[in-house]
Amino acid sequence: MALRKIIRIDEDKCDGCGQCAAACHEGAIQMVDGVAKLVSDSYCDGLGDCIGECPRGAISFETREAADYDAAAVATRKAHGAGETLPCGCPGTLARSLKAPCPGEAPRDPRTSSSSSPVSATLQEEQSVSTLSNWPVQLRLVPENAPYLQGAHLLLAADCTAFAHPAFHRDFLPGKVCLVGCPKLDDSGAYREKLARILGTGSVRSLEVVTMEVPCCSGLVRLAQEAVEEARASIPVTFVRVGIDGAVQERRTVEYRFG
């Protein structure tokens, strides 16, 4: 045992998003019953990669007596597949690119075509193919340092839009990084702050916000506008409203410019 700097987790502040667990390369943090826990002092190198990932400020440094960092034990643990518990304790939340667009590539608009003929069998087949390019998609779970956010065209979609609009994959997802959230059921303030930090990197190329016609969805529009202004992101922002019947009711683009 030695007196050294090590992380401290305030479990009362932890909301279980799991971003710290994903950021800890040593596997010192794991999600247990929906709460982040330091599983062993010897796995924590004290560098604090996890601190900047916590949206709730639940992780801090403290100096106390703790076992020395054991790099060999960490390597052995990783070799045996331990320490791979990911956000929320679910392996499916590991951040990954699926079909990432080429850097700088503008999103393809699949609604435009040189042909005015009726929907063909080939197009119908294309509608059944996933065009999702990133995982996870829930805004709360997406790591702010995910590589696929660099130079991205972002799509911020209300939860219900993909269920209401029958060709969501075809019409909205190609060439975009998808972020999903509900302004009524989720923490809009935390969403605004996180989106502002993502936009604040200056690498995002555009933002499209897709919402439903229901009143509560206006909250997603407001938080997106506030995030853009807070980050002073000079980007085009497209707002799309989808009806409960699945039809696109409105589409407008605003060019944000900050000096």
Side-chain angles (χ1 to χ4, degrees), residues 13 27 42 56 79 86 132 157 160 203 208-209 220 224 245 252:
K13 291 182 179 179
S42 61
R56 298 298 186 188
L86 300 168
L132 187 66
C160 301
S203 68
E208 184 166 4
V209 183
L220 198 66
D245 62 357
R252 60 186 176 90

Side-chain angles (χ1 to χ4, degrees), residues 59-181:
I59 304 178
S60 59
F61 280 123
E62 66 176 349
T63 300
R64 62 173 173 83
E65 283 196 351
D68 291 335
Y69 171 62
D70 191 338
V74 169
T76 299
R77 191 162 178 263
K78 285 185 176 182
H80 288 83
E84 296 300 323
T85 300
L86 300 168
C88 302
C90 172
T93 55
L94 174 64
R96 69 191 73 180
S97 295
L98 304 178
K99 301 170 185 174
C102 297
E105 178 186 8
R108 177 178 63 87
D109 187 346
R111 295 162 299 170
T112 60
S113 171
S114 58
S115 171
S116 59
S117 60
V119 177
S120 65
T122 300
L123 183 55
Q124 291 178 10
E125 290 176 3
E126 288 178 354
Q127 291 181 17
S128 66
V129 176
S130 173
T131 53
L132 187 66
S133 67
N134 62 283
W135 188 265
V137 296
Q138 224 289 336
L139 178 55
R140 179 174 152 185
L141 298 178
V142 171
E144 294 174 28
N145 60 351
Y148 52 70
L149 291 174
Q150 298 301 310
H153 296 276
L154 295 184
L155 173 69
L156 177 61
D159 287 354
C160 301
T161 55
F163 294 95
H165 189 69
F168 185 87
H169 276 252
R170 186 198 68 194
D171 290 350
F172 296 115
L173 285 184
K176 299 199 185 95
V177 169
C178 184
L179 308 176
V180 176

